[in-house]
Amino acid sequence: MENFSVFRTPQTIIYGRHALNEAAKESASRGTKALVISDHVMENLGYVSNIRNDLSKVGVESAIYLGVKTEPTDIYVEEALNLLKSENCDVVISLGGGSCIDTAKAVAVLAKNGGYIGDYMGGKTLASQNSVPHIAIPTTAGTGSEATDATIITNTKNDVKMMIKQPVFMPDVAIVDPMLTISSPKSVTAATGVDALSHAIEAYISRRAHPMTDKLALSAMELIVGNLLAAYEDGNNLEAREAMSLGSLQAGMAFSNASVCLVHGMSRPIGALFHVPHGFSNAMLLPAVLEFSKAECIDRLADLGRYFDPQAETVSNEEAAEIAVSSVKKLCLDLNIPNLKGWGIDQQRFESVISKMAEDALASGSPQNNPRIPSKEEIMKLYLSCYTYNFANHRVSKLK
Ligand SMILES: NC(=O)c1ccc[n+]([C@@H]2O[C@H](COP(=O)([O-])OP(=O)(O)OC[C@H]3O[C@@H](n4cnc5c(N)ncnc54)[C@H](O)[C@@H]3O)[C@@H](O)[C@H]2O)c1
Ligand SMILES: [Fe+2]
């Protein structure tokens, strides 16, 4: 039996306040004309023109694709790829949330390898050429996509959020500057922050976790548990923003190498069919899925419980794991995360697609990494319970 683990990251990671200043230099050493893949929000914030000015100062020309909206589709990929070709760009810069970064990953790989992005799902087509150099600059904290070798693109023909994972999708450079996240509105801070927390937790409880990913996942959990609410309550709290950017990056590195599990497996179909932002759909599932999985990962959830409540050092692991689940529920409540019903999803429509969603979740492979591997029926039951899930029904720690 194989007894080794693999750990992949971008070649270069630059993080910390004003790391963005390094973007132009990194681009100049990799190409002569950059395609900046971003969106209109980033343009209105002035981020796009700033980076283009920096690029021109070091002699790098640029073209821009601003068509990304939340949850990228194969259509954005095709549009941006056509632009890359017609403008003869030889380096890709993604500037935005996970949606911009994921679009750029697909474009950078297809530019050198051809074909339809869906062909790369499940390793059906393996990329044989390196991608066009890709510099990923996240503005959310977040998806961690800047440090993962996965891209999530919706197939507009069958409404499946395709999880496509191959080493070639890893960006060459990740530039993680917390200053860019200050403009993130409350709802985006909440959704993306819970996404990062879900990455850290799922990487830590994954059946494919290993010592390299464990340390990053633990550090990420500690940073996110300690700072998410502060960043949400005061977006100008730079220490909290900085901790969230680092936590999100570490969580990305952890889950890219240890995989995500049931929460993400179940979350993608909700995103594809009901267009719930990724972080919110994770949050709507996270406490219920942890309750479902708890018995198979008591010791690991206990570590999480002790970040939420340091006084839990003295209690049993069962008790500390219970504190973890309760604390995640309370965090969702404090971040004003609704359940699926509260989001406005029609009950009849939801129930009519539960079977498809459960099948799509299983087909993604993520549920198979969960400490407790679910059947299709169990996933369907979980979807139903999450529809009306009561986040307020948490047990406040007896220790406080
Ligand atoms: N590839 C991966 O490893 C990976 C991991 C997790 C999630 N994802 C994917 O990432 C996507 C979600 O990305 P996301 O959660 O970062 O959200 P997003 O990229 O969809 O952005 C959400 C909204 O926030 C705005 N925004 C982003 N940063 C901002 C800022 N600093 N100031 C103001 N507004 C800002 C965007 O313009 C957008 O309107 C999903 O498609 C999800 O599936 C990918
Ligand atoms: Fe995620």
Side-chain angles (χ1 to χ4, degrees), residues 287-288 291 294 322-334 337 339 385 388-397:
E291 274 162 350
K294 194 179 76 183
E322 187 53 45
I323 290 170
V325 178
S326 262
S327 303
V328 169
K329 275 193 214 179
K330 178 161 186 328
L331 181 62
C332 290
L333 199 66
D334 291 344
I337 288 172
N339 57 25
S385 74
T388 50
Y389 196 84
N390 183 4
F391 293 105
N393 183 21
H394 62 83
R395 197 193 57 156
V396 179
S397 167

Side-chain angles (χ1 to χ4, degrees), residues 344-360:
I345 293 174
D346 177 70
Q347 185 160 3
Q348 256 189 335
R349 182 154 176 250
F350 186 72
E351 287 177 7
S352 72
V353 291
I354 278 184
S355 177
K356 171 184 163 50
M357 291 200 298
E359 280 163 21
D360 290 348

Side-chain angles (χ1 to χ4, degrees), residues 39-42 45 47 68-72 96-102 105 138-154 161 164 179-185 188 191-192 195 199 252 255-256 264 268 277-279 282:
D39 67 22
H40 288 289
V41 176
M42 301 297 121
L45 285 164
Y47 294 168
V68 179
K69 293 169 199 83
T70 52
E71 312 295 312
S99 297
C100 293
I101 299 176
D102 280 8
K105 285 176 170 179
T139 60
T140 58
T143 67
S145 179
E146 68 276 9
T148 77
D149 63 1
T151 181
I152 323 281
I153 304 291
T154 297
K161 255 183 111 169
I164 304 157
M179 305 303 286
L180 292 170
T181 68
I182 292 173
S183 53
S184 175
V188 174
T192 55
D195 188 24
H199 294 155
F255 91 78
S256 185
H264 274 76
R268 289 183 212 106
H278 175 72
N282 282 341

Side-chain angles (χ1 to χ4, degrees), residues 69-90:
K69 293 169 199 83
T70 52
E71 312 295 312
T73 67
D74 46 11
I75 295 172
Y76 310 158
V77 172
E78 197 186 318
E79 287 174 355
L81 180 62
N82 288 340
L83 195 61
L84 175 136
K85 288 178 182 161
S86 64
E87 293 281 343
N88 291 318
C89 297
D90 53 8

Side-chain angles (χ1 to χ4, degrees), residues 141-380:
T143 67
S145 179
E146 68 276 9
T148 77
D149 63 1
T151 181
I152 323 281
I153 304 291
T154 297
N155 179 333
T156 47
K157 298 232 161 48
N158 61 8
D159 277 340
V160 168
K161 255 183 111 169
M162 303 180 287
M163 211 283 282
I164 304 157
K165 186 169 162 69
Q166 291 186 28
V168 70
F169 288 99
M170 181 70 78
D172 298 82
V173 183
I175 296 184
V176 183
D177 186 341
M179 305 303 286
L180 292 170
T181 68
I182 292 173
S183 53
S184 175
K186 261 185 175 336
S187 67
V188 174
T189 302
T192 55
V194 181
D195 188 24
L197 179 63
S198 310
H199 294 155
I201 298 174
E202 293 213 284
Y204 193 51
I205 63 174
S206 166
R207 288 170 171 262
R208 297 172 60 192
H210 58 85
M212 290 288 287
T213 60
D214 282 349
K215 291 290 180 213
L216 287 163
L218 282 166
S219 172
M221 287 194 299
E222 186 173 18
L223 286 164
I224 297 164
V225 165
N227 291 281
L228 174 50
L229 208 51
Y232 175 76
E233 281 169 354
D234 175 10
N236 291 314
N237 180 336
L238 199 47
E239 283 73 31
R241 291 290 198 187
E242 197 167 31
M244 285 303 299
S245 286
L246 181 58
S248 159
L249 168 67
Q250 291 179 336
M253 289 160 78
F255 91 78
S256 185
N257 291 284
S259 295
V260 281
C261 310
L262 184 54
V263 173
H264 274 76
M266 289 179 61
S267 174
R268 289 183 212 106
I270 297 177
L273 291 169
F274 298 101
H275 308 289
V276 179
H278 175 72
F280 278 128
S281 56
N282 282 341
M284 290 163 180
L285 300 165
L286 184 60
V289 171
L290 290 181
E291 274 162 350
F292 172 82
S293 311
K294 194 179 76 183
E296 304 295 327
C297 52
I298 290 275
D299 295 352
R300 296 218 153 204
L301 282 186
D303 291 335
L304 174 64
R306 293 182 179 118
Y307 288 133
F308 274 110
D309 183 354
Q311 292 184 57
E313 281 304 337
T314 53
V315 303
S316 68
N317 279 2
E318 280 77 8
E319 178 89 355
E322 187 53 45
I323 290 170
V325 178
S326 262
S327 303
V328 169
K329 275 193 214 179
K330 178 161 186 328
L331 181 62
C332 290
L333 199 66
D334 291 344
L335 295 171
N336 292 306
I337 288 172
N339 57 25
L340 289 153
K341 186 173 184 205
W343 185 263
I345 293 174
D346 177 70
Q347 185 160 3
Q348 256 189 335
R349 182 154 176 250
F350 186 72
E351 287 177 7
S352 72
V353 291
I354 278 184
S355 177
K356 171 184 163 50
M357 291 200 298
E359 280 163 21
D360 290 348
L362 281 169
S364 75
S366 303
Q368 289 78 353
N369 303 321
N370 206 56
R372 177 174 168 197
I373 299 176
S375 64
K376 182 183 166 191
E377 287 65 37
E378 285 170 327
I379 294 182
M380 289 171 66

